[in-house]
Amino acid sequence: MSTFKLTDELIEQIELLVAEKRNKELESLLNDMHYADIAEIIHELNIKDAIYIIRLLDTEKTSDVITELDEDFRDKILENMSAKEIADELIELDTDDAVDIISELPENRKTEVISYIEDVEHARDIVDLLRYDDDTAGGLMAKELVKVNENWNVLKCVKEMREQAEFVKRVHSIYVVDDNDVLKGRLSLKDLLTTSTRSNIKDVYIPKVDYVYVTDTAEDVARIMAKYDLEAIPVVDEMKRLVGRITIDDVVDVIKEEAEKDYQLAAGITHDVEADDSIWKLTKARLPWLLIGMFGGLGAASIINGFQGAMERFPVLLIFIPLIQATAGNVGVQSSAIVVQGLANDSIDGEIWGRLLKEFLLGLINGLAIAGVVILVSHFAFHTTYNISLTVAVALVTVIINAAVIGTFIPIFLHKRGIDPAVATGPFITTSNDVLGILIYFSIAKIVLGF
């Protein structure tokens, strides 16, 4: 398979074909492309041209294209489509993808679109899935799956599987249920093919099967599937009845969304925003942490002002303030980033004292190494006295240990209280360590230099 490459020439060619309504050439060009590549092209077009292409191509392809579009761009396209057109697109999608699209519509549009879905069972499944929260297993799952009854024989099982498989794009697993739809296990295709057609499924199925409840969080689902390398996982209700399945592509989306959210939190952005969002929305997302950083800066300035007399006697102390602040912030962000990553993938069990001791020792080693370099540089570059060099060295070691411990403690503390630990990285840790670093620096200077 050749790698698709989006070029300006291709976009210009498509815009020309649309403008001149050369539909056969346009269809010939796009029909052989993967739907993800077509979505990439559509993102570069204006809404009018994008709608033209979606209406031109067959519904089976464009339904997949729509699922690949960015949410904001997709909303603009859906606004320009009739309820009947949207319903025709949804009928070609698995129920989980259909719900992702219809859930973005206003309530009155949802009802109208659902009323146009001709497949009553498909519409019923969509309505059923809409009642689950987006960040739960119920909100992730699709209704399409292959299941067999434990009381069937192999011959009937194969017949039923053939009928069910027509509505499933990809069969990852065959699930076994009882007469009440309670999940009992899974069926191996190898066992099915090598077993007598008169044998009962009850005698050949595998009772061990991983599953999740509809109320489990999306993050828990992603963690389980990643841990056990699952391509799909069944979803059960409170009575352990099989109600759906979640496939790996849905979990990848969850992982990407969580990574984006954590990245934004670490950068001091408190809401999920995109680069093309309104100025007001971007301001609301960024301003809170900027204000925290501002107050942190004012706090550091206040501390420096309190030691104004000392700086008049030892003006060389000013030279090392950026060094103290930068080192404290960098060490704190490093420590917190490692802890947040460990908490996210469950490689940290939450034992706080052992983790703090490890970071303390690591901070001590790093601090001594950096302090040694600073003593040499300050002596030869700035011609500092022994006491000044000692002050800076001791302050650096103390600040690095302090920043490492704080950067480790805060994420674990937040995690234990059900708060996303990603909020601890970035501006929060940097600002707190900047202020504490300055306080530690001048406090040690006061002790060593005696002012």
Side-chain angles (χ1 to χ4, degrees):
M1 179 179 178
S2 59
T3 304
F4 172 78
K5 186 176 181 180
L6 184 64
T7 62
D8 292 338
E9 291 76 13
L10 177 61
I11 296 299
E12 290 173 4
Q13 180 186 3
I14 290 174
E15 288 175 339
L16 179 64
L17 293 175
V18 171
E20 297 180 356
K21 293 183 170 48
R22 290 151 61 182
N23 294 347
K24 289 188 179 298
E25 293 178 55
L26 191 58
E27 286 181 283
S28 176
L29 178 64
L30 296 177
N31 273 334
D32 291 334
M33 290 186 183
H34 191 276
Y35 59 83
D37 296 331
I38 298 177
E40 191 176 350
I41 291 171
I42 286 179
H43 276 127
E44 301 299 319
L45 304 176
N46 59 49
I47 294 297
K48 183 180 177 181
D49 288 351
I51 292 289
Y52 185 90
I53 288 176
I54 287 174
R55 285 173 173 159
L56 176 67
L57 299 180
D58 64 273
T59 302
E60 185 175 354
K61 172 154 283 188
T62 55
S63 59
D64 288 324
V65 170
I66 290 174
T67 64
E68 290 292 319
L69 297 175
D70 289 341
E71 188 174 321
D72 290 341
F73 195 84
R74 183 166 63 212
D75 288 344
K76 293 176 183 177
I77 288 180
L78 295 178
E79 287 173 4
N80 289 274
M81 296 175 66
S82 68
K84 178 68 166 60
E85 287 176 322
I86 297 174
D88 290 342
E89 300 290 348
L90 296 184
I91 200 66
E92 298 292 339
L93 294 173
D94 285 345
T95 46
D96 58 334
D97 292 327
V99 168
D100 287 343
I101 292 174
I102 203 171
S103 62
E104 299 168 9
L105 301 174
E107 289 300 324
N108 60 325
R109 284 272 276 172
K110 286 181 186 177
T111 304
E112 188 180 4
V113 169
I114 291 172
S115 69
Y116 276 108
I117 299 177
E118 296 179 358
D119 187 330
V120 177
E121 187 174 350
H122 194 64
R124 188 185 299 118
D125 287 339
I126 290 174
V127 171
D128 182 44
L129 291 180
L130 281 170
R131 65 189 177 94
Y132 296 107
D133 291 336
D134 290 341
D135 59 350
T136 64
L140 283 178
M141 71 180 181
K143 289 287 189 176
E144 291 82 7
L145 51 78
V146 176
K147 65 179 180 180
V148 298
N149 191 295
E150 63 176 347
N151 297 315
W152 294 347
N153 60 32
V154 171
L155 188 61
K156 183 176 181 181
C157 174
V158 172
K159 179 183 177 183
E160 293 288 337
M161 284 170 54
R162 285 175 178 168
E163 294 180 5
Q164 294 178 36
E166 291 182 16
F167 305 99
V168 183
K169 289 184 178 178
R170 186 176 178 187
V171 179
H172 293 89
S173 299
I174 303 163
Y175 303 114
V176 180
V177 298
D178 64 12
D179 292 335
N180 296 314
D181 261 352
V182 173
L183 181 65
K184 305 297 290 186
R186 57 190 173 86
L187 187 60
S188 163
L189 280 175
K190 179 180 177 181
D191 292 340
L192 190 65
L193 293 172
T194 57
T195 302
S196 168
T197 56
R198 292 187 295 274
S199 299
N200 287 327
I201 298 301
K202 184 182 296 185
D203 299 325
V204 296
Y205 80 83
I206 303 167
K208 179 175 174 53
V209 59
D210 297 301
Y211 60 88
V212 293
Y213 288 97
V214 288
T215 53
D216 287 342
T217 66
E219 291 79 9
D220 287 338
V221 174
R223 186 169 57 252
I224 291 170
M225 293 187 70
K227 181 178 181 180
Y228 297 109
D229 293 326
L230 303 175
E231 291 187 351
I233 192 168
V235 184
V236 299
D237 63 12
E238 294 80 0
M239 298 175 64
K240 207 184 170 184
R241 293 176 300 189
L242 181 64
V243 292
R245 66 162 185 170
I246 298 172
T247 53
I248 189 64
D249 58 315
D250 298 312
V251 170
V252 169
D253 291 339
V254 171
I255 294 171
K256 285 170 60 180
E257 289 171 6
E258 282 299 303
E260 289 172 0
K261 184 180 76 172
D262 288 348
Y263 181 80
Q264 290 186 343
L265 283 174
I269 300 174
T270 53
H271 301 285
D272 185 16
V273 292
E274 300 289 343
D276 58 353
D277 283 338
S278 68
I279 292 177
W280 173 240
K281 187 174 181 180
L282 290 170
T283 300
K284 287 195 299 180
R286 297 181 185 184
L287 188 58
W289 281 114
L290 293 177
L291 289 173
I292 290 175
M294 180 200 71
F295 285 114
L298 290 174
S302 177
I303 293 171
I304 294 173
N305 185 59
F307 290 96
Q308 192 169 0
M311 287 186 293
E312 290 176 359
R313 289 181 57 191
F314 304 97
V316 72
L317 290 174
L318 285 169
I319 296 174
F320 299 99
I321 289 177
L323 172 66
I324 295 295
Q325 288 186 310
T327 304
N330 289 338
V331 171
V333 169
Q334 282 183 345
S335 298
S336 60
I338 291 172
V339 173
V340 168
Q341 184 182 30
L343 291 171
N345 58 30
D346 277 345
S347 62
I348 293 178
D349 58 11
E351 175 51 49
I352 190 167
W353 298 113
R355 176 62 54 176
L356 288 176
L357 177 60
K358 185 175 183 179
E359 285 297 324
F360 176 88
L361 294 174
L362 186 60
L364 177 62
I365 294 170
N366 288 335
L368 290 173
I370 293 173
V373 174
V374 169
I375 287 175
L376 293 173
V377 173
S378 63
H379 177 72
F380 290 104
F382 303 110
H383 307 292
T384 57
T385 63
Y386 170 78
N387 284 346
I388 294 293
S389 296
L390 180 63
T391 296
V392 176
V394 174
L396 271 174
V397 174
T398 309
V399 162
I400 288 173
I401 292 174
N402 176 75
V405 170
I406 289 177
T408 302
F409 175 79
I410 295 297
I412 295 177
F413 176 81
L414 294 176
H415 180 70
K416 285 181 174 291
R417 276 154 185 71
I419 302 172
D420 193 335
V423 76
T425 59
F428 183 84
I429 290 293
T430 302
T431 302
S432 60
N433 280 324
D434 280 351
V435 176
L436 287 174
I438 291 297
L439 181 60
I440 290 170
Y441 176 46
F442 280 105
S443 297
I444 290 174
K446 183 176 182 179
I447 294 171
V448 176
L449 300 176
F451 53 78

